[in-house]
Structures are given as C-alpha cells and as structure tokens.
Amino acid sequence: CCCCNEVGCKPGADGDDSLYPIAVLIDELRNEDVQLRLNSIKKLSTIALALGVERTRTELLPFLTDTIYDEDEVLLALAEQLGNFTMLVGGPEYVHCLLPPLESLATVEETVVRDKAVESLRKISQEHSPVDLEVHFEPLVKRLASGDWFTSRTSACGLFSVCYPRVSSTVKAEIRQHFRTLCSDDTPMVRRAAASKLGEFAKVLELDYVKSDIISLFTALASDEQDSVRLLAVEACVSIATLLPQEDLESLVMPTLRQAAEDKSWRVRYMVADKFSETFVSLQISLCFNCIHSVLTIWLSDLCLLCPVSEQELVSDTNQHVKSALASVIMGLSTILGKDNTIEHLLPLFLAQLKDECPEVRLNIISNLDCVNEVIGIRQLSQSLLPAIVELAEDAKWRVRLAIIEYMPLLAGQLGVEFFDEKLNTLCMAWLIDHVYAIREAATCNLMKLVEKFGAEWAQNTIVPKVLGMANDPNYLHRMTTLFCINALSEACGQDITTKQMLPVVLKMSNDQVANVRFNVAKSLQKIGPVLDSNALQTEVKPVLEKLATDTDMDVKYFAQEAISDANVEQRLVQQAAFIFPADQTCCSLAGSQDRSEQRNTVVSITACNLMNSRIACTNPSQTVSFPNFFQPDLHAPVHSLFSAATQIEFDQTNE
Amino acid sequence: MHGVSSNSTPPPTQLNKIKYSGGPQLVKKERRHSSSRFSLTKNRELQKLPALKDSPLVEQEELFLQKLRQCCVLFDFVSDPLSDLKYKEVKRAGLNEMVEYISHNSEVVTESIYPEAVLMFSVNLFRTLPPSSNPTGAEFDPEEDEPTLEAAWPHLQLVYEFFLRFLESVDFQPNVAKKHIDQKFVMSLLELFDSEDPRERDFLKTILHRIYGKFLGLRAYIRRQINNIFYRFIYETEHHNGIAELLEILGSIINGFALPLKEEHKMFLIRVLLPLHKVKSLSVYHPQLAYCAVQFLEKDSSLTEPVIMGLLKFWPKTHSPKEVMFLNELEEILDVIEPSEFVKVQEPLFRQLAKCVSSPHFQVAERALYYWNNEYIMSLISDNAAKILPIMFPALYKNSKSHWNKTIHGLIYNALKLFMEMNQKLFDDCTQHYKAEKQKEKHKLKQREESWLKIQDLAKQNPQVPPCPPKLHVSSPLIMWSVSGPLSQGLKDLKKDKVLMRRKSELPQDVYTIKALEAHKRAEEYLTANQEAL
C-alpha cells in the first residue's frame, strides 16, 4: 500500500548510501507482518537520527504524511512517536513540520488513534513560538474544526485551549467563534466532544469572555436534546464555578445546576450526584454562606430520596441509580463534615441505605466503609452491616456476590478477627462451593488474603480443616477447589502446615478417578514444591509424580512431567550453586540448607544468570559463561549482594 | 448461518440470545426487573368506562378519547407489584379493548384521535432507560448475560400493540399524523432501542419500520439519527442493546434502495457498516450486518472491492470466534462476487486466507479450509491459479505436517490435492520455490538485522544527536520480534477503562426470563423491503 514518493528511493538502491535509512523503512513498511511494521514505526527515532534533521524534514516526514494508510495499531504508534520528534526535526524552530502527518492522523476514524494524535499535537503546541502558533498551528485547528467528517471536528475540540493563551486578540476571537460553532454542531458526537472540553477551555479564557461566551454555551449544552451531552456540561460546571467571582455564581451557574439536579434523565442527575463532593468543595471555598445554603437545599431534596421512610412516593425506581451514585459520594462527606455531624446527620442515612432494596446502593456503602471508619469507627455500623453483607453474599447475581467477596479482606481487617470468625467465616467457606467458577476462584483468593491478614495459626484452626474436608466431596469441582485453595494458601501457611496437613491430602488425591483432579494434583505439587522441605520432596512427592507420569490420561502425564522436570531443574541448580561457590561458606550452607526459601533464593539468582547466558546466545547452558564471569566485580562480594544483583536482572528480564 | 427465508428479508434478531444449554435453572429470589421509571401518576383511581361496542355510534369517538386519556395514568410494577391491582386491570382491559376496536372497525381513527394516541404512547413509553444490570460492578455482557425484563410489560405490551395497529389501520393518514409523529418523536423512539428487554425492541423495530415506510419526510432524518447511534456505539461506548434490530430495519431499507445507489448510501456502507465489524460484541448482530453488506453488493457489484478491503482492514487479530464470523461473511460475499471484482482483491484476500489456514485455532483453520468445498470459489481460484497458488502454497504446505489438529491435516491434504489437479506444473513450481525460499529465509533475516544495525550506526554518528537523545533501540531486531507481545495490546490498554471485566462461564438461567421470552409473539417475523422514493 505504500509507494515511493518523489524521493524515488528503492530498497536496496545501490550506490547511494545516504538514501539507505528511508529505503529500509519503506521496505519494512511493506512487509505483510503487522508486528514487523509496528516495530519499524517504533524505531522511527533511530531512522530520523540516521538521516539528520534536514533530511528528516524534507524526506522522512513527507514520506510519512503520504503513506498513512496502515492499520490503526501502526498509526497509533506513529501518532505517539511524532509527539516526541521536536528535537529530531531541528528543535522548536522547525516543530511545525510535524503538523501535516499529525493533522491526517487527527482525522482518522479510530478514536484511539485520533486521541493520540491530538495528545501529540497538544504536546508540540507548547514548543511552537507565538508566531508559528498563528502561522501554522491555528490554521490547522481551523481546518479540523471545519472538516466535513465529524472525526476531524471532534479532534479540533481538544486543541482550542492549548493555542488560545498565546495568540493575538483577533485570532482569539476566531478561536472563540469556532468553539461556539462546534458547541452547536449538528452531530451529537461533536457536541459531546465540545462539552467535554468546555471546562478546560473556560480556564484559559479571559473572565469577561467566561461570563459572556462560556456561560451561554454552558447553558445551551446543559439543555441539549441528548442527555449524553447534558451530563458532560454538568461535568464542566465544576471548573466553571471555580473561575467565577462569588457574586456571579448565583445568577450565572446556579440556575443551570439546579435544572440539572432536577433533570428528567437520571443519567444527568447521576452526574450531578457523582460530582457532588467536588462541587461541594469548590463551592464551599468560593461561596458565601448564603449560596452554600441554597446548594445544600437542592442536595437535601435529593438526599431525601435516600431515606425510604421520609417520602415514600419519591422512592420510585428511577432514583435507584441516582441513589447509588449518592451512596458512593455520601460516604466521602463524612470526612468533610467531621465526627459529630456525621453521627448526627449521616449515620441514619448510612443505616437506611444498608437496608436499601437495591444491591448497588448497599455495595456502594460497603465499598466506601474506610472513609467512615476513619471518622467514626466501624463499630457504629457493624450491627446493620452484617445483615447487609449476608444478603449481598447470597445475591442471585453472581457479579454482586463477586463484588462483596472482593471487599471481604478490607472488611475483615476493619471488623477484626473475632467478629469475622463469629459472623463471616461461614460465608467465606460457602463461596468455595458456589456454582459459578468466578466466585469459587475469587473465594480462593480471598482465603489467601485473609490468611495473610490473620496469620498461619488462625488458618490452621479455622479454614484449613474445612478446605481439606472438601477433598472427599462427591463433586469433583469441589475436590478441585481444595487443590486450588492449597495452591493459594501454601505459601501463606508456611512449610509446617503445608508438609504436615496439606501434602498428605494432595498425595491422596492423586488416585482420584477424575483426570482433571489428577492433573491438578500434579500442578499443585509443582506449585507447593518450593514450600516443602527437600526430604518430603524426594521421598513423598517424587514417587507420586512419577506414578502420574505414567497415567493413561495425556494431560495428567503432561503436567506430571512438567512438575518433575521443574523439580529436577531446581535440584540441579541448587547443586550448581554449591559448585559455583565452593569457597563461599555462606553459599555452601545456603545450598545445603534445609531451609527451602534460602535454597530458592540461590536458585533464583542462578536461574537469572542462566537466562542471561542464553540471551547472549550461548547455546549450551551447562558449559555456560560461568556465573562469576558475569558478576566480575561482585565475585568476592558477600553472597547476598550477588543475590540482589541477580534478582534485579531477573526482574529486568521479566519486564522486558 | 443463512437466513431462514430467502434473501428478500433481513434475518430476524434472536429474542433469546443465550441458547438454553441445559445448565442449571433457578428461580431468582429477587427478580431484578427493569427499573425504568416511572414518575407515577398521583391519582390512579381509574373508573371503569362502558364498553365501546355497547355504546351508541355517536358517542364512540368521545368514549375512545376518554379511554386513551385514562391509559395515560402510570402504575408501579416494581417496588410494589401488588399495588392498585384493581385500577391496573381497568387500564389493561381498556388497552385490550382499544386494540380490538381499532383493528376490527373502520373509520374510527378520526382526526381528534391522532394527538391523543400519540400522547398516550409517549407518556407510557418515553423514559430514560436504566443502566445495564450492574453499573458499579462488572460490565453487562450482551453475549452472555440474561436481559433484565421490563416490569411494566403487561401494560407496555398492549400500548405497543395498540400503537402498531393504529399505524397499520386502513384509515391512518400520514399527512394528519405527521404533526404529531415528528422528528422529536422519532428521536425518543430511537432512544428506546437501547432497552434490555428483547420483546420491547421487537415491537420498536416493527413500529419504526412502519414509520419509515409511511413518513417519507422523516426517512433521511431517521437514517441520520441511526447513523449517530452507530457512531456512538463504534467510537465511544461499544455498548448498545438494539444494534441488531436497527440493522434489521436498515436491511429492509437497503433492500428497497433504487439504482444507481446514491452517494449517501455508499458512504453509509463504508463509514458505518464496515466499521461495525470492529466492535467486540459483533456476534450479537453479525447475521444482520452480513445481510446488509451482501445486499449492497447484490445491488452494486462495484462496491465489492471496498467491502472486502474493509473486512481485511478490520480482520480480528486475537478473537478467534470473531474471525470465524468474518470467514462466514466473506464466503457469503464470495458467493455473489463478479469474477472481474474477484481479480481486484484476490491477492490481499488470499494473503489473509493463508494466515487463516495457518491459524493455531483449529476452528479458524477449519472454517477457512471449508472454502475448498465451495465450487464457485474453486472455479474462481482455478481461473486465477497463477496468482493464488503461490500465495496459498507455503501456508498449506507448512501446516500439512505441523498443525496440531489432525482434522486440519485432512483438510489441507484435500486442498493441496485440488491445487495439484488444477495445475500440476504450477504446483511443482511452487514446491520448488517454497524450498528455495526456505533456504533463503535465514539469510533474509540476517540481512534485515544488518540493515537495522547499519541504521543504528548511522544514527550514532549523527553530530546533532540532541543533548538528551531519544532512546535508541539498541537491542537486536531479532530479539525485539521474538518478544513482541500480543498485537492490539496497545489499543486494548487504552480502551481498558471501559472494560471492567469479562468472564465466561455457564450461568444458571432464570426460568421466568426464559418463559417470558418464549411467550413473546412477534408482530411480524420478517421485515419487508421499504422501497426508496425516487
């Protein structure tokens, strides 16, 4: 799809070495493999450096501008690269050369590409001189703003605020005019884009224009026919309110805000509720007492909706979504209002909401408990909390159950171990046999977090027996849950519990009649191996794995072999460690240590070295560039610093 | 995949998207009905009015109006389903009676009925829809989650039915109605298409189809607004419940397009229908979308090239089930392709197919290899073997031994055999060429690496390397390629704040929902073509 431009360079064009970089790029961009094209685009800066600034301007950029027809993935990378290209085209003086390709990218269909192009344009706008901004940048914004296709007009919306502050007053007037036009565009997509930038644009405008232009646009957008536009206008309200002097707020902003708070679409009211604390804070600072009062009056009328006893009629279903938004912000209020006010005014509301029929409302209260905990302590709520939690835990919607499980560790931490054992433990165990896998999985993970919180001893007394009991369940899914729990818990529970209590159960399950259970036994053994002591590993685990490796089922065989080879490698590495540091006392004792976690540290470091070796293309790891060569300076240093160096390398490897 | 009827009508949208899989069923403790509304009417004590058929002819119009006004009273079905039972029954019976009355009598739709009928419809139905199931938790999954049904359905169903009969009445005059059924009305109607209740969308679909048919003045507006919905769906939210129904209506509209196609309609194909392939919930509306695309091509074969190029542009990279849908649609297109058009797209097309037959996902590879059972496609390949064989051969040859799935081996063997029978000489050349290329491969890789190293050297020599140079990619390209992550990750990461979580699992289904959906009777099974006014 990409043909040569007037530069006329062909890949491999002989003789002229100077055309070389572009020729390579052209060739690469022709490749069928997108991944390859993507990688070439990501190395654009290298090509620009090879070309030098002048040829980057005269050859590379025109080529890129002409050939922007690739997949969105490639275009995204290109849009991002160009935002960092200023120095590569010769600095701020020439930065405007980057505008043509970014302009085309800002008009493509895919939102992600467009947004990235706009982001890059905003970035390089800062590097334009005021003159260049007027000569090159502003015309581009104008072209985009009057484009035929909505995508270019949408992109334009994000560019007004970055060029406005540094242009002459005539150009400023034009920019304001363009923004006005886009706010009344006939497609809702553009109006939404304009509405979402309204607050940002207001911030760079002179106060007089905020009052004359922005307020009228705000009012118009806030009464748009589409609620998706109206709610974005509400969002802008927060920044507009901070810009205006107090005396103007009542007349300019409040009528629209009140209207939004009573909008017929719950989405708009939801947004008002969502922005509640933000608006509240900004108004509190900037408003006189009178205004605060009037704001509160509006809010109180909506807050009334929260209280099912007060106005039964108002609690119709629509309000549930607004209610649930309010539920999430109302908790935040407690930090603003302080302890006494919270207990007096908010506590009754919390308690009422915990009994709300809508699970979202209850969830929102529970998920924000930490705010309240800081102010008044969770005990005030615990009596009402429990029934709410129990009911959510048994909700028919699995997503609701999932949400409450995820808050469990937080709740457990705040309510304390006693309360937990007494009231919540049974719930946590019941989730393990939920009929939805996602719940069982989350429940497993929950147990692990609880053990981390309450300690191994607690685990041994309360949950381990129950988990292990499930190994005899007639349902194989429940038996597998035992294995998954063991995988998750072994590390937190430590060597003793794992070896003495969990391991025998796992080993016994290797005779299960369901193949899925058997191969999960293999996986579990592999997983808990590092926690076990080497004696148990050799005498108990290995024979079982070897037996599984001859299983009739293909998958069981596969995972058993995986586990065996994993164990072998580890074994060998431990020996290797002893071999490499024969002279080092610490290391020898580590390698021979019965403490598996210390052995493992050694193994980790050596694995890192081996990875390093294989990376430098050494084909035979056994004859590898030996460990010390790699860490010459550290050779005689204490072993622990070696560990940290090696671990760091492994870390880098993982991140690469 | 092909529609039940012939190609003359769009495939109807499934009412129950989740196929009942025999999994566990349960009756939910708490039926989470749609909670759309409603600001209840204060005074809900309805008086039972005399029956229309028993009253004197002269009084019937006034009585009809009274009944329409009565039905503007709204009841609570959600927080207290048992409230106002007596008055709810009055409204239900009244609606029922009016449905009968308007369908079996002529000359009852008089001029004074129009404003009241439209008002009654608007009051009952136009509302802001609730958010999908759980706004704070995981995202509603249109492919898997059970829809939340509309609680007020016993009344809403009759309101919809009445309005449909009203539109279809022999006395109905669009010229009189257009004062009331205007752009604002259509806009509100379109907003309801996002309803989660499939029964509601089914009615909406038929009603909008009728309005499009009867109100020529609204047609352009309707098309424009539907486009806006699609743009928002594709580029902003990726969430809308009614895409399949809207496409079904559009299918019937496209069906009636006059020839030659207007530029506006062609733009619609390129700018809306093709990008719709990109959205992740494609499976929900794919049959309707594919129908629309094929309709366009049957009308105007010159659109084949942009359509196929569009499909190739949006070809899924990591989503195998979607890839299978693309292969289905592509085969439907190839079934109607003109040989002259085929030649224009064959090379990029078969490069993609070569990737598909090599797919590690066996369903993708299998679906692509089924093309070799299609006689028309085989004849097209045979006519252009010189171009196509060299593209397909390496993929087939390589996977004939190495693909993990045995079924694929058989299919590939079959495909290679067909190629061999097509042109033995060409086949042998390809084999030779493949082996030669294989030899050169390593050399090429090395060359590429060297060219990049050379560029890097050039870059390092740059005297103008800025004081704080941008990061040079010094690692060898070889390594970079081998560590490349899954493609599209970049795009996904950027969109991830939209996606909270997706899990697929076999969910127990609510018996009530299954039954309610099964009980729904469609007003019309297939939408007929809306002829374009010339």
Side-chain angles (χ1 to χ4, degrees), chain A residues 192-212:
Chain A
R192 276 194 290 274
S196 67
K197 299 291 175 198
L198 184 65
E200 178 190 295
F201 190 54
K203 281 187 189 155
V204 298
L205 245 59
E206 297 80 358
L207 184 60
D208 282 347
Y209 291 120
V210 173
K211 285 188 200 170
S212 59

Side-chain angles (χ1 to χ4, degrees), chain A residues 258 290-303:
Chain A
R258 274 194 203 99
N290 201 5
C291 289
I292 294 180
H293 186 74
S294 77
V295 176
L296 273 181
T297 323
I298 302 177
W299 287 111
L300 281 176
S301 71
D302 247 326
L303 287 174

Side-chain angles (χ1 to χ4, degrees), chain A residues 351-481:
Chain A
L351 296 176
Q353 281 185 297
L354 279 174
K355 296 190 188 96
D356 196 281
E357 60 180 35
C358 169
E360 281 86 40
V361 174
R362 283 176 268 144
L363 262 181
N364 274 340
I365 288 291
I366 292 176
S367 62
N368 289 301
L369 269 181
D370 44 343
C371 313
V372 180
N373 195 23
E374 279 166 27
V375 182
I376 59 169
I378 207 165
R379 286 283 163 186
Q380 296 265 11
L381 282 174
S382 57
Q383 282 317 309
S384 311
L385 211 47
L386 190 66
I389 295 174
V390 172
E391 209 175 314
L392 287 170
E394 289 164 355
D395 195 279
K397 291 236 159 193
W398 67 270
R399 290 173 209 277
V400 174
R401 298 201 295 278
L402 185 65
I404 189 73
I405 295 179
E406 276 158 12
Y407 296 126
M408 227 6 118
L410 176 85
L411 284 172
Q414 286 173 352
L415 293 168
V417 64
E418 233 168 86
F419 187 90
F420 182 88
D421 278 345
E422 197 179 318
K423 319 269 186 187
L424 300 179
N425 195 8
T426 20
L427 286 180
C428 290
M429 300 315 290
W431 282 321
L432 288 175
I433 51 169
D434 198 280
H435 51 249
V436 175
Y437 175 74
I439 299 295
R440 298 198 297 276
E441 191 190 25
T444 312
C445 181
N446 174 42
L447 286 188
M448 182 182 74
K449 288 186 188 146
L450 289 174
V451 174
E452 279 165 5
K453 208 156 241 153
F454 294 150
E457 198 185 329
W458 173 83
Q460 192 174 8
N461 295 330
T462 49
I463 57 172
V464 172
K466 290 185 193 162
V467 165
L468 296 181
M470 280 163 59
N472 301 319
D473 197 288
N475 186 336
Y476 85 98
L477 289 174
H478 298 171
R479 299 203 293 278
M480 294 222 295
T481 308

Side-chain angles (χ1 to χ4, degrees), chain B residues 288-317:
Chain B
Q288 290 74 25
L289 180 60
Y291 175 84
C292 288
V294 174
Q295 285 305 299
F296 261 109
L297 301 187
E298 284 191 342
K299 293 252 169 197
D300 181 353
S301 64
S302 73
L303 291 167
T304 312
E305 188 181 358
V307 168
I308 291 190
M309 293 312 286
L311 282 183
L312 294 178
K313 180 177 176 202
F314 298 123
W315 202 273
K317 299 203 170 49

